[in-house]
Amino acid sequence: MKVKYILFGVTLAGLITSCDVTDKSPIDSFTDKSYWTKVSDLEYYANGLYDKLDKPGVDKDNVSDNCVVTNPDSYLFNEKVIPATTKDTKWDWTQIRACNFFMQRYGTVDGTENEINPYVAEVRFFRALDYFDKIKAYGDVPWYEKDLQTSDTEELYKKRDSRDLVLGKVIEDLEFAIQWLPDYGQAVSGRLTKDAARTQLARVCLYYGTYKKYHNETSSPSSEELLQKAVDLTNTIMATGNYAIVKGSDAGCGQMPFEGYPLAYSNQFIQEDLASNKECILARIYEDGVLMHETARQAGSLGTGLSKDFVESFLCKDGKPISISDQYKGDATLDEEFTNRDPRMYQIIDNSHKPYQVVNGERQVNLYPNCDGSSAVTGYPCVKYRSPLLLQAEANHTTYDWFVYRYAEVLLINAEANAELGKCTQEVLDKTINQLRDRVEMAHLTTNPVADPKAIDYGYSISPLIYEIRRERRIELISEGFRLDDLKRWNGMKVFENPKTMFGIRVTDAVRELYATSSITFGDGENARPIMEFEGNTYLMQYKVRGLYPAGRKWAADDKRFLEPIPMDEVTLNPNLGQNPGWN
């Protein structure tokens, strides 16, 4: 089943989605009446849409407070300009047109409803997926239900439809997918299921349920309705008993963990086969010699480093924040900083307790991480997706599967939505957050956690419970591409004013001594790593050379960056679209 999926992924991925909107010949090749006749025609067409599912990558949190990259991001530092064209933007309608092309033609196929509708469900799922990305990026967007032709001038030049109208259509599409997609265990490995659609719809509902709450929006559907729907959907998935939080096995991963430093969390992300993994709701399937990626090669390199603020968000093993825990040893040295912390910390960040490579059965570790532009500019490389096997690190030769949807996210959605509704009991926490903590043997979260006296500032007050659920989400889902969306929906962009979101390791005498045998020096010299003093301590500060501290990333209450600018050529072609506020 795994190979079957990969083969059609390779031969048909991009068949529909590779064409430009104005170049209709690849789609028009399907207009021959002989094509839209058999159920298999629908399957083959739907195959070409699967390339839009989440792909492997180590840069998914680069634009957030979790990471610092080599060069300041133009979006975060408010230097972004309106793009001239749709290239590399979400204002691209190829996928929507491909889905609507299908929707206009599948009715001629000879087959029963039970044979046809599962493929209609797949196509409507992918349409919803693309539209969800569009309304997050642009707010109001035009809703289309047919593949437009050049003669459809009224539709082509219409105004944008309201975000909430499109949101309602997204929910309708995903509810249809939930109705008609196959149940757990009944789909070809790598194909959509009811639970994949439930997870995606729960993600949509959590996003706009919290967005409306924290942006004070009262439109329909309401914040409460959306949050309750997120609870109901995730409750359904949890009640099946088909999924669990898994302790990733060392077997097949090449790992040789040190005594006292198990790798139950990080091993989950370098599994060769996720098809039978109970934490996997949907996976991208990879096979040696057929379809591969290069995540293992890129993890912990390319310049991206985790921020000091992210590193300080890890609790101590007693479940208390570092600001009040007796277990916290400080950060005078890298080893002290990792001592007694949430075990996910040493499994996510490169350190001397996690094998970086295993060669001829022997562990090789980095006593100190490279902190220049070739590795991680903060001194905190994210090695969550790093395999110690040398073969995996060869160019485009990573073969382990990739989570598209995993059960951990379902549990986090359930806990957060319940908490936002005021319904988060200890039973809810034990079924959700504490399942994640049990995997790494962390102290449980209770409904009345101690307040962190040095909590990050979202710009408003929240309960300690909601704060800790957000912290758990930040840790568990690091580098999975959720963080910027989370901050937007929470209206929490004030976090970027914290300079520690731009800092790296603390540079002490002990750290200087540790790096003394390397070519890395710290200071103001031409080739030295830049540093900055803050609250009596010295930290790596990648952007000091640009003079971007401290005002570089402040957001206004109505900041234009909550929405993306519509490309210039699109507004020129259709002035009825208008431009998003602040981008004119």
Side-chain angles (χ1 to χ4, degrees):
M1 298 251 278
K2 177 175 179 177
V3 173
K4 179 180 179 182
Y5 172 68
I6 292 169
L7 288 177
F8 76 59
V10 170
T11 58
L12 293 171
L15 187 62
I16 309 306
T17 58
S18 62
C19 60
D20 187 81
V21 176
T22 58
D23 177 13
K24 299 190 292 294
S25 57
I27 292 179
D28 286 348
S29 66
F30 286 99
T31 59
D32 188 283
K33 291 182 180 180
S34 65
Y35 185 80
W36 299 97
T37 58
K38 306 182 296 298
V39 172
S40 60
D41 295 341
L42 306 182
E43 178 185 2
Y44 296 148
Y45 191 100
N47 290 346
L49 302 174
Y50 270 79
D51 190 54
K52 292 300 181 180
L53 291 175
D54 189 52
K55 300 179 180 68
V58 299
D59 60 351
K60 295 179 183 292
D61 274 356
N62 276 18
V63 184
S64 78
D65 58 335
N66 285 346
C67 295
V68 179
V69 295
T70 306
N71 296 306
D73 182 79
S74 63
Y75 171 78
L76 290 184
F77 286 94
N78 207 12
E79 296 176 339
K80 184 170 182 173
V81 298
I82 301 175
T85 68
T86 59
K87 187 178 187 305
D88 299 324
T89 74
K90 290 185 172 64
W91 198 273
D92 178 277
W93 297 86
T94 308
Q95 181 85 343
I96 299 299
R97 184 172 186 273
C99 292
N100 287 339
F101 188 91
F102 175 101
M103 295 298 295
Q104 294 289 109
R105 290 159 178 79
Y106 79 87
T108 62
V109 167
D110 183 20
T112 67
E113 189 178 60
N114 288 335
E115 292 172 325
I116 291 171
N117 277 359
Y119 297 109
V120 179
E122 288 188 347
V123 172
R124 291 186 67 172
F125 174 95
F126 286 112
R127 182 170 66 180
L129 197 65
D130 196 272
Y131 261 118
F132 179 48
D133 282 344
K134 280 179 167 52
I135 58 176
K136 282 191 299 177
Y138 303 107
D140 299 345
V141 296
W143 170 261
Y144 297 120
E145 291 187 345
K146 68 174 186 176
D147 53 304
L148 299 182
Q149 308 300 318
T150 54
S151 58
D152 296 317
T153 54
E154 184 176 347
E155 288 285 285
L156 285 169
Y157 294 99
K158 74 173 187 175
K159 293 181 179 179
R160 292 187 273 171
D161 293 297
S162 74
R163 182 206 64 196
D164 283 335
L165 181 147
V166 178
L167 174 60
K169 297 292 188 180
V170 167
I171 292 172
E172 288 177 13
D173 275 353
L174 290 173
E175 286 179 334
F176 184 91
I178 292 168
Q179 179 183 356
W180 286 102
L181 287 171
D183 280 312
Y184 173 86
Q186 295 181 8
V188 171
S189 183
R191 282 199 101 96
L192 293 169
T193 63
K194 291 182 186 297
D195 289 335
R198 288 187 180 107
T199 304
Q200 179 59 44
L201 182 51
R203 186 185 290 180
V204 171
C205 291
L206 181 72
Y207 184 91
Y208 279 109
T210 50
Y211 193 100
K212 291 188 174 193
K213 177 176 180 176
Y214 290 101
H215 290 260
N216 299 312
E217 295 185 8
T218 58
S219 57
S220 180
S222 70
S223 169
E224 292 78 10
E225 290 170 332
L226 290 165
L227 289 169
Q228 187 58 55
K229 193 172 188 68
V231 169
D232 295 341
L233 288 159
T234 49
N235 277 341
T236 298
I237 298 170
M238 292 160 62
T240 65
N242 293 326
Y243 307 100
I245 297 302
V246 176
K247 289 189 174 184
S249 170
D250 295 326
C253 295
Q255 297 279 40
M256 293 181 63
F258 290 88
E259 184 177 355
Y261 290 89
L263 301 169
Y265 171 82
S266 62
N267 276 343
Q268 273 294 80
F269 302 98
I270 55 173
Q271 295 289 318
E272 279 293 329
D273 188 359
L274 291 178
S276 59
N277 188 303
K278 290 190 64 87
E279 193 167 342
C280 184
I281 295 174
L282 182 68
R284 264 189 180 269
I285 310 298
Y286 291 88
E287 186 83 4
D288 189 16
V290 181
L291 187 64
M292 297 169 285
H293 55 105
E294 54 183 352
T295 307
R297 180 183 181 86
Q298 296 171 341
S301 60
L302 304 182
T304 299
L306 297 168
S307 70
K308 185 67 173 178
D309 181 66
F310 173 74
V311 172
E312 290 189 342
S313 69
F314 285 91
L315 299 169
C316 289
K317 289 199 71 174
D318 59 8
K320 296 178 182 178
I322 62 173
S323 57
I324 58 174
S325 176
D326 293 336
Q327 293 186 345
Y328 183 53
K329 301 298 183 184
D331 60 356
T333 68
L334 294 175
D335 274 348
E336 286 179 357
E337 191 166 21
F338 282 83
T339 301
N340 298 331
R341 303 289 289 281
D342 181 335
R344 284 171 291 193
M345 184 174 178
Y346 70 79
Q347 298 178 63
I348 289 169
I349 307 168
D350 189 26
N351 64 96
S352 61
H353 304 293
K354 185 178 189 292
Y356 194 77
Q357 293 179 341
V358 173
V359 181
N360 297 325
E362 295 186 5
R363 305 182 188 96
Q364 295 184 358
V365 301
N366 291 326
L367 296 177
Y368 51 84
N370 187 350
C371 57
D372 65 18
S374 67
S375 181
V377 293
T378 62
Y380 296 119
C382 181
V383 290
K384 176 173 175 174
Y385 303 117
R386 171 80 189 184
S387 168
L389 297 174
L390 295 178
L391 185 62
Q392 294 282 2
E394 291 183 4
N396 199 31
H397 205 276
T398 305
T399 57
Y400 42 78
D401 293 348
W402 182 261
F403 286 107
V404 175
Y405 299 108
R406 69 181 180 104
Y407 189 52
E409 183 196 354
V410 170
L411 301 186
L412 289 162
I413 291 173
N414 187 274
E416 184 181 348
N418 269 304
E420 293 289 359
L421 291 168
K423 298 179 180 179
C424 189
T425 63
Q426 190 60 49
E427 181 182 10
V428 168
L429 290 176
D430 290 342
K431 289 180 178 179
T432 58
I433 300 297
N434 291 331
Q435 296 293 309
L436 303 176
R437 293 194 174 189
D438 283 344
R439 167 162 45 199
V440 292
E441 300 179 4
M442 273 285 290
H444 277 193
L445 177 63
T446 67
T447 55
N448 295 297
V450 61
D452 187 346
K454 292 189 176 181
I456 61 174
D457 186 3
Y458 289 111
Y460 53 85
S461 297
I462 53 175
S463 70
L465 177 59
I466 290 178
Y467 185 88
E468 291 305 324
I469 290 172
R470 289 184 181 186
R471 186 204 300 267
E472 194 75 23
R473 182 178 175 89
R474 186 183 191 186
I475 297 298
E476 178 69 28
L477 300 181
I478 180 64
S479 201
E480 294 182 39
F482 293 99
R483 184 60 177 176
L484 184 61
D485 276 353
D486 287 346
L487 293 176
K488 281 186 173 182
R489 65 187 177 88
W490 294 333
N491 199 9
M493 308 314 249
K494 189 173 177 61
V495 301
F496 288 110
E497 295 179 29
N498 179 359
K500 288 188 176 181
T501 64
M502 293 183 277
F503 287 173
I505 60 173
R506 182 179 164 207
V507 181
T508 63
D509 289 341
V511 169
R512 290 179 187 275
E513 183 177 346
L514 185 65
Y515 280 87
T517 58
S518 74
S519 60
I520 293 172
T521 58
F522 306 96
D524 296 322
E526 181 179 352
N527 296 315
R529 299 294 294 118
I531 57 176
M532 177 164 284
E533 300 296 320
F534 180 72
E535 296 181 343
N537 293 319
T538 304
Y539 299 94
L540 277 184
M541 173 51 166
Q542 175 69 8
Y543 303 145
K544 182 183 178 183
V545 294
R546 283 278 305 271
L548 294 170
Y549 171 80
R553 304 206 281 190
K554 288 186 177 181
W555 284 58
D558 59 349
D559 203 288
K560 67 181 181 181
R561 288 171 289 176
F562 279 108
L563 295 175
E564 295 281 336
I566 299 173
M568 210 173 299
D569 63 345
E570 295 294 324
V571 177
T572 301
L573 285 169
N574 180 12
N576 289 324
L577 292 174
Q579 183 55 273
N580 277 328
W583 287 103
N584 289 318

